Amino acid sequence: MNSINTLNKILVSSAVLAISFVLLLGPTSMTMNVFATANSANQGIGQSQSSTQLGVCVSGDGTLFSCNNLNAQNQANSGNNAAAQSGGNNDDDDDDDDDDGGNTANQGIGQSQSSNQNALCVSGTGTFVSCNNLNAQNQANSGNNALAQQGGSGSGGNLANQAIGQAQSSNQNSGVVSGGNTTGSGNNANTQSQTNTGNNAAAQSGGSGSGSGGGNTANQGIGQSQSSNQNSGVVSGGNTNNSGNNANTQSQTNTGNNAAAQQGGSGSGSGGGNTANQGIGQSQSSNQGSGVVSGGSTSGSGNNQNTQSQNNTGSNAVGQQ
């Protein structure tokens, strides 16, 4: 079980790094030089959302319906990355350029959302429906990475790097101090949802080379990551009702596949032949802390509720000849 968890962490970490690469990459770039050595394609689709919210209320009297933070983030992508490369080769006689040649493609689809919410209420008397944090994040991807490579030669051969990554993070902190009663205040609620139906697909034929990178190489990954941190503290001189609660719901669904077909990879160096590295990873984390001090009764307060769901029907498939 530890090995499985370690593998998932590695896969998700790789996916998050892929997201960073995509967001930094910006617009699609492609270079094809038929006279010299290589075909190179870098393609990225990136979506990023970030929210920071701070609410502070200090009242000598009561605090009503105040200093609540609400955040809703939604991302949907149906765009694809598609590339076809043929005949990348290295005819340069200069041995110093052994790293040139072949077909190289980097394709990534990344979605990233982050939310930070902080609320603080200090009331001389009562606090009613105030200093609550509510966060909702949704990501949906149906885009695909599709690649066809034929005839790459030189030290590079055919190289394909494909990744689909989704990442969500939420940090919520609420604090309430009331001289009187506290009702419906200082609660944190977080909902995160990720759905991926996109695929990584690569077809490689005839990769060859004399260097360490010859042959056909495909690296494919699908990763989903969610994290939630919630802290709530309530101090009431009177009664505390339905306050200081943390609720977290996380859902991940993946039906995307990694598929690779490799034919005819060859090479005289250490990297010849056909190589495929494929991974699908899902990761969820939740940290909750709640404290309630009340001079009177405590009802429906100081509770932590966490619901996490993961569903994967995606497959890793490779054919090599």
Side-chain angles (χ1 to χ4, degrees), residues 6-321:
T6 301
L7 175 61
N8 282 339
K9 291 180 180 179
I10 293 174
L11 293 175
V12 173
S13 298
S14 300
V16 173
L17 290 175
I19 293 174
S20 301
F21 166 76
V22 169
L23 298 179
L24 290 173
L25 182 64
T28 298
S29 64
M30 180 177 293
T31 59
M32 299 183 67
N33 189 337
V34 297
F35 295 104
T37 60
N39 293 321
S40 176
N42 299 309
Q43 298 177 316
I45 297 173
Q47 295 175 315
S48 178
Q49 293 173 319
S50 177
S51 174
T52 299
Q53 297 174 312
L54 174 64
V56 178
C57 289
V58 179
S59 175
D61 199 355
T63 302
L64 307 176
F65 299 103
S66 301
C67 289
N68 296 299
N69 294 317
L70 306 176
N71 179 56
Q73 295 174 320
N74 184 64
Q75 293 176 329
N77 175 62
S78 58
N80 304 297
N81 290 318
Q85 297 173 318
S86 177
N89 61 79
N90 185 358
D91 294 329
D92 196 340
D93 293 333
D94 188 350
D95 292 337
D96 293 336
D97 293 334
D98 285 341
D99 290 335
D100 293 334
N103 296 314
T104 301
N106 301 304
Q107 297 177 317
I109 297 174
Q111 295 176 314
S112 176
Q113 293 172 325
S114 67
S115 174
N116 298 289
Q117 297 174 313
N118 295 280
L120 175 63
C121 288
V122 179
S123 305
T125 57
T127 303
F128 182 74
V129 191
S130 298
C131 284
N132 298 296
N133 294 315
L134 174 62
N135 179 57
Q137 295 173 318
N138 181 64
Q139 292 175 325
N141 175 63
S142 59
N144 303 294
N145 291 317
L147 175 65
Q149 293 175 318
Q150 190 270 333
S153 62
S155 62
N158 291 320
L159 173 62
N161 298 308
Q162 297 176 315
I164 297 173
Q166 295 175 315
Q168 294 172 323
S169 67
S170 174
N171 299 295
Q172 298 173 313
N173 298 286
S174 61
V176 176
V177 179
S178 301
N181 298 327
T182 300
T183 301
S185 300
N187 298 299
N188 296 314
N190 178 57
T191 302
Q192 294 173 319
S193 176
Q194 292 175 326
T195 302
N196 175 62
T197 59
N199 303 296
N200 291 317
Q204 297 173 317
S205 176
S208 63
S210 59
S212 60
N216 295 316
T217 302
N219 301 306
Q220 298 174 317
I222 297 174
Q224 295 175 315
S225 175
Q226 294 172 324
S227 68
S228 173
N229 298 293
Q230 297 173 313
N231 294 285
S232 178
V234 175
V235 178
S236 303
N239 298 324
T240 302
N241 299 313
N242 299 320
S243 300
N245 298 300
N246 295 313
N248 178 58
T249 302
Q250 294 172 320
S251 175
Q252 293 175 326
T253 301
N254 175 63
T255 59
N257 303 296
N258 291 317
Q262 297 173 319
Q263 189 270 333
S266 63
S268 59
S270 60
N274 296 316
T275 302
N277 301 302
Q278 298 174 316
I280 297 174
Q282 294 175 316
S283 175
Q284 294 172 323
S285 68
S286 175
N287 298 295
Q288 297 175 314
S290 179
V292 175
V293 178
S294 182
S297 64
T298 300
S299 176
S301 301
N303 299 301
N304 294 315
Q305 181 179 2
N306 179 52
T307 303
Q308 294 174 317
S309 174
Q310 292 176 323
N311 181 34
N312 175 59
T313 58
S315 303
N316 293 318
V318 60
Q320 296 173 322
Q321 184 179 14

